[in-house]
Structure formats: structure tokens, C-alpha cells
């Protein structure tokens, strides 16, 4: 029986994946790295420090340290969040569905905590969540299960009693490896690429 629900954030509750891609494109562009939409989309759901390491490995630069690049991307992203972040279709209704049934909620995101809080505060969603977990606190980010296991622990539940909502393949694998049932929402990827989840739905609406 489901005792708790755990939500990814970027692309799942908040329409922020385009903002991430814009922030990354802008900062990597200053380093002489031009990225296509497909290249930017390929790292959806992966922790930012890992994304920066991937880009550096493929096209090394010398002007900034990797942590400085990460911080520049986060600063650009937070500006975009404050100006433009919006909820995905059905996000508020999905949260309300569990709240009215007194089922505790958590966020398990690859984003740094500062970005998670910026988005939840922007959309007024923060009070709905009993636990906020960032993969930046884990040794390994998604697709490894650490952030989902931490979220279940924070809610006082066994992982097998939690229902996870995800929009990316790394996130689905993370939650499944943790032992959770997973609903994939086809906000960021085509539905046919998410069939490893237990169920795939087009949006959170309904």
C-alpha cells in the first residue's frame, strides 16, 4: 500500500528544463562551447556537477574552474526561475490529490538545494512537502538510488511503500533501483522512451 509520494522537480512539477538548457547554453557559450538542443537534452535529469564534468571531458576549457562554471550556470538559472518558472499542467492538482488524503510528500531532485527552494518558493509549493532532498548531498546522483532512499527515510517510510513521479530516464531508474513504484510523466521525453516505469502518463493532469 502506498504510504508516501515522492516527486522529482525539474520538468515534472516545474517547467524548468527549458530554463536549465538556456542557462547551460549561455554559460558554456562563453567558454566557446556551442551545444545543440539535442546535446542539452541528453543530460536531462543528471546532476549539474556531472554535466559540467561531461562537457569538460569532451571540450576542455582553461578560463574557469569546474565549480566556477557550475556556479555561473546556477546564477543564470536562478535569474530565469525568478522571472519565468511556471508549474507544469496538473502539478498543483497532483499535490492536492495527496494532501487531501493526508499522504506525506517529498521532493527528490538532482538540482542543488538552492535551485529546488527557488522554484518551490516561486510557485508557492514549499509548504506541501514534508521533506526536500537534493542529490547534491549524495555520493552519486541519479540514476543511482541515493536521493530517493534519503527521501523515503526522511518521510519515515520504506521505499517499497513510496510512489515516485519522474519525467526522465535517469530519474526513473533511480526510483526503481530504490525499490519504488514509478509513474513516468512524458513532459521531457517521449512516452515510448519511459516505458521502463511502472506506468506512463502524458501529464500530471487527472
Amino acid at each position: 500500500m502506498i504510504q508516501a509520494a515522492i516527486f522529482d522537480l525539474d520538468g515534472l512539477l516545474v517547467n524548468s528544463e527549458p530554463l536549465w538548457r538556456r542557462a547551460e547554453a549561455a554559460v558554456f557559450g562563453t567558454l566557446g562551447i556551442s551545444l545543440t538542443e539535442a546535446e542539452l537534452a541528453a543530460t536531462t535529469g543528471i546532476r549539474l556537477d556531472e554535466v559540467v564534468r561531461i562537457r569538460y571531458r569532451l571540450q576542455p576549457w582553461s578560463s574557469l574552474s569546474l565549480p566556477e562554471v557550475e556556479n555561473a550556470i546556477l546564477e543564470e538559472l536562478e535569474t530565469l526561475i525568478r522571472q519565468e518558472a511556471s508549474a507544469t499542467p496538473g502539478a498543483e492538482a497532483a499535490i492536492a490529490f495527496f494532501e487531501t488524503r493526508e499522504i506525506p510528500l517529498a521532493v527528490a531532485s538532482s538540482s542543488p538545494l538552492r535551485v529546488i527552494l527557488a522554484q518551490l518558493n516561486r510557485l508557492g509549493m514549499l509548504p506541501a512537502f514534508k521533506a526536500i532532498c537534493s542529490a547534491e548531498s549524495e555520493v552519486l546522483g541519479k540514476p543511482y538510488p541515493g536521493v530517493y532512499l534519503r527521501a523515503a527515510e526522511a518521510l519515515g517510510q520504506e521505499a517499497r511503500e513510496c510512489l515516485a513521479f519522474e519525467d526522465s530516464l535517469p530519474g526513473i531508474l533511480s526510483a526503481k533501483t530504490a525499490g519504488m513504484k514509478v509513474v513516468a510523466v512524458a513532459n521531457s521525453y517521449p512516452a515510448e522512451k519511459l516505458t521502463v516505469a511502472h506506468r506512463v502518463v502524458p501529464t500530471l493532469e487527472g
Side-chain angles (χ1 to χ4, degrees):
M1 184 176 178
I2 298 302
Q3 300 292 332
I6 303 176
F7 289 85
D8 177 48
L9 185 65
D10 294 283
L12 190 282
L13 292 176
V14 186
N15 187 26
S16 53
E17 294 297 359
L19 306 184
W20 270 102
R21 291 195 289 272
R22 283 166 56 190
E24 289 177 26
V27 173
F28 286 123
T30 66
L31 301 171
I33 301 173
S34 179
L35 297 168
T36 66
E37 279 294 310
E39 287 172 323
L40 290 163
T43 55
T44 298
I46 299 176
R47 204 168 62 181
L48 179 59
D49 62 328
E50 296 168 350
V51 172
V52 172
R53 282 200 298 270
I54 289 169
R55 301 299 179 207
Y56 183 78
R57 189 164 60 246
L58 294 172
Q59 294 177 267
W61 60 83
S62 58
S63 53
L64 295 174
S65 68
L66 272 61
E68 286 173 332
V69 173
E70 291 174 40
N71 192 60
I73 292 171
L74 292 177
E75 289 182 351
E76 179 71 17
L77 175 64
E78 286 175 314
T79 297
L80 294 173
I81 288 170
R82 287 192 295 269
Q83 296 172 349
E84 302 180 33
S86 61
T88 58
E92 288 101 338
I95 291 170
F97 176 88
F98 291 104
E99 282 190 302
T100 58
R101 289 159 177 79
E102 298 185 345
I103 293 175
L105 304 178
V107 166
S109 174
S110 291
S111 289
L113 184 61
R114 63 190 262 194
V115 172
I116 297 173
L117 295 177
Q119 295 185 72
L120 293 177
N121 280 315
R122 155 88 175 173
L123 300 177
M125 293 179 176
L126 186 59
F129 293 96
K130 181 178 178 181
I132 307 293
C133 298
S134 166
E136 72 176 344
S137 301
E138 307 300 324
V139 175
L140 296 169
K142 299 176 184 180
Y144 294 91
V147 69
Y148 273 103
L149 292 172
R150 185 179 297 272
E153 181 182 13
L155 293 175
Q157 304 293 338
E158 297 290 334
R160 59 186 170 81
E161 298 174 328
C162 298
L163 180 63
F165 290 85
E166 269 287 351
D167 69 309
S168 74
L169 186 57
I172 294 168
L173 295 174
S174 175
K176 283 192 73 175
T177 304
M180 300 179 184
K181 296 291 190 220
V182 187
V183 175
V185 182
N187 287 338
S188 304
Y189 285 84
E192 59 268 22
K193 293 187 179 294
L194 304 175
T195 53
V196 68
H198 295 92
R199 181 170 297 181
V200 181
V201 297
T203 72
L204 284 170
E205 292 181 296

